[in-house]
Amino acid sequence: MSTTHPSGPAAGSTPPPRDAVSTSEPIKAIRLRHPWRVVFAVLLMAIFALFVIDAAFRPAYDWPAVGKYLFDRRISMAALVTIQLTVFSMVIAIILGVILAVMRLSPNPVVKSVAWFYLWIFRGTPVYVQLTIWGLISLIYTSIDIGIPFMDPWVSFSTNAALNTFTLAIIGLALNEAAYMAEIVRAGLLSVDKGQEEASIALGMSWSQTMTRVILPQSMRVIIPPTGNEVISMLKTTSLVTAVPFSLELFTRSRDISAETFNPIPLLIVASIWYLFFTSILMVGQYFLEKRFSRGVGDRQTDKSDPAPSTGAITGVVPVIGSGQPTVVLPPKTDAPGTTGDGGAR
């Protein structure tokens, strides 16, 4: 094995002629033209402009009535009730969904079967039907009894007195949404490699420490996007609580006002504007949450085959033509202070 300095040619090889080394000119890239793409974009803009102009002057929309009822006190109070329904239902649904997801992943077949049966019932029936049943719950259970089964109850409440329509609407929405949140959480937990849990156990971490410090932080980047979609969907699903019946949310309240004015279209536009306003806020919040929990994902990894940053040299073994022995190429040595490149003193 022979050793050569990288400044000279390898043993047994012919150095390239000086005329062969030339400075290459930069490539001048010509951008491709897409005329049909421009035509399609102009056509879309023209159609959108025509729609806006037509909607601005169409009398059925009645824009003065839209401006009149947009900030009406009844509408603003109904919008607040809609937000309350969304927040309370989603909080309960997320907590119950996490419990159901853990039950689905349990090795106990009974626990797993109970969770599967819950998901089968609430995902297999329409939410409007479920809300209607919750509205008729007082006919099924006339009283709420607390005590030992098959014995006289310790405390008994009338169902109508204990559960008002607002509470029933929250229960109906939350129980339905929990079935979908359970599958979202389960998918997020399964997205984390099994080795993460095994490594945590090897380090002596408990189950709760493993979940809170290792599994959940990594699964959040998978859980957050669909959960944000479910929150937005819940905001719009609150319009179905009229089946309970609960009539103080945004859509039902605007429909009641339109029944008084005999002009439903402006009130539908008012409700849509409020829904779009809340949805836009939720989308912005979802964006920042996704950005926070996706930190470090997809970052460029340093290529180990890159040249050393200090010298720019590549070390390795190259074959020597004709000798059958490899040649080791060493990086240039850094001269110590007071010495020359050949190691001699000044």
Side-chain angles (χ1 to χ4, degrees):
M1 181 179 294
S2 59
T3 304
T4 61
H5 197 275
S7 59
S13 62
T14 304
R18 294 182 177 272
D19 298 340
V21 181
S22 60
T23 305
S24 60
E25 297 181 357
I27 299 176
K28 183 179 181 181
I30 301 176
R31 188 174 183 178
L32 295 177
R33 299 181 182 274
H34 302 279
W36 289 109
R37 185 183 300 177
V38 177
V39 171
F40 184 67
V42 172
L43 182 62
L44 286 179
M45 293 178 61
I47 294 174
F48 178 75
L50 290 175
F51 174 78
V52 172
I53 294 173
D54 177 77
F57 296 99
R58 189 166 292 273
Y61 291 125
D62 196 358
W63 295 109
V66 172
K68 175 182 177 181
Y69 289 103
L70 184 60
F71 298 104
D72 187 271
R73 187 175 181 275
R74 294 170 293 180
I75 295 295
S76 59
M77 291 298 296
L80 179 60
V81 172
T82 298
I83 289 296
Q84 292 176 345
L85 286 172
T86 303
V87 173
F88 294 154
S89 301
M90 283 305 303
V91 169
I92 298 174
I94 291 173
I95 296 174
L96 186 56
V98 172
I99 297 174
L100 289 170
V102 174
M103 292 173 64
R104 283 293 308 274
L105 298 175
S106 172
N108 190 321
V110 176
V111 174
K112 183 184 297 185
S113 300
V114 170
W116 181 88
F117 182 78
Y118 180 96
L119 268 61
W120 177 64
I121 291 293
F122 284 92
R123 294 175 64 191
T125 54
V127 62
Y128 193 87
V129 175
Q130 297 175 25
L131 291 173
T132 304
I133 294 175
W134 281 107
L136 301 174
I137 195 67
S138 60
L139 299 179
I140 303 174
Y141 302 99
T142 57
S143 63
I144 301 176
D145 302 328
I146 300 176
I148 301 176
F150 308 108
M151 297 183 63
D152 293 336
W154 302 334
V155 182
S156 180
F157 301 96
S158 173
T159 304
N160 288 329
L163 301 174
N164 54 27
T165 54
F166 180 76
T167 305
L168 290 174
I170 293 176
I171 293 175
L173 292 174
L175 293 182
N176 176 265
E177 184 61 32
Y180 297 92
M181 286 303 306
E183 291 299 281
I184 292 174
V185 174
R186 185 172 71 94
L189 296 178
L190 292 177
S191 67
V192 182
D193 190 82
K194 189 68 175 178
Q196 299 287 326
E197 182 179 357
E198 295 174 354
S200 302
I201 296 175
L203 292 174
M205 299 177 66
S206 63
W207 181 86
S208 59
Q209 291 176 330
T210 301
M211 292 297 297
T212 56
R213 299 182 183 182
V214 179
I215 305 298
L216 283 178
Q218 296 183 64
S219 63
M220 288 301 289
R221 64 183 180 88
V222 178
I223 296 175
I224 289 295
T227 301
N229 294 336
E230 290 298 319
V231 174
I232 294 174
S233 178
M234 175 62 72
L235 176 68
K236 296 177 290 186
T237 307
T238 55
S239 61
L240 300 178
V241 295
T242 181
V244 171
F246 182 73
S247 59
L248 297 180
E249 50 84 30
L250 182 57
F251 171 72
T252 307
R253 198 68 178 124
S254 61
R255 188 184 63 182
D256 294 342
I257 296 175
S258 65
E260 299 174 0
T261 61
F262 300 99
N263 194 11
I265 296 178
L267 272 301
L268 290 175
I269 295 176
V270 168
S272 300
I273 292 174
W274 277 99
Y275 281 124
L276 287 172
F277 173 71
F278 292 139
T279 302
S280 301
I281 296 176
L282 292 175
M283 291 175 66
V284 172
Q286 178 183 351
Y287 168 77
F288 284 106
L289 280 177
E290 291 181 13
K291 186 176 180 181
R292 174 177 177 80
F293 285 100
S294 297
R295 291 178 301 178
V297 178
D299 290 349
R300 181 181 181 274
Q301 300 294 330
T302 304
D303 192 355
K304 295 182 179 180
S305 63
D306 288 345
S310 58
T311 62
I314 301 178
T315 60
V317 178
V318 296
V320 178
I321 300 175
S323 65
Q325 297 293 331
T327 299
V328 179
V329 180
L330 300 177
K333 297 180 179 180
T334 304
D335 297 337
T339 62
T340 60
D342 56 359
R346 292 187 180 181

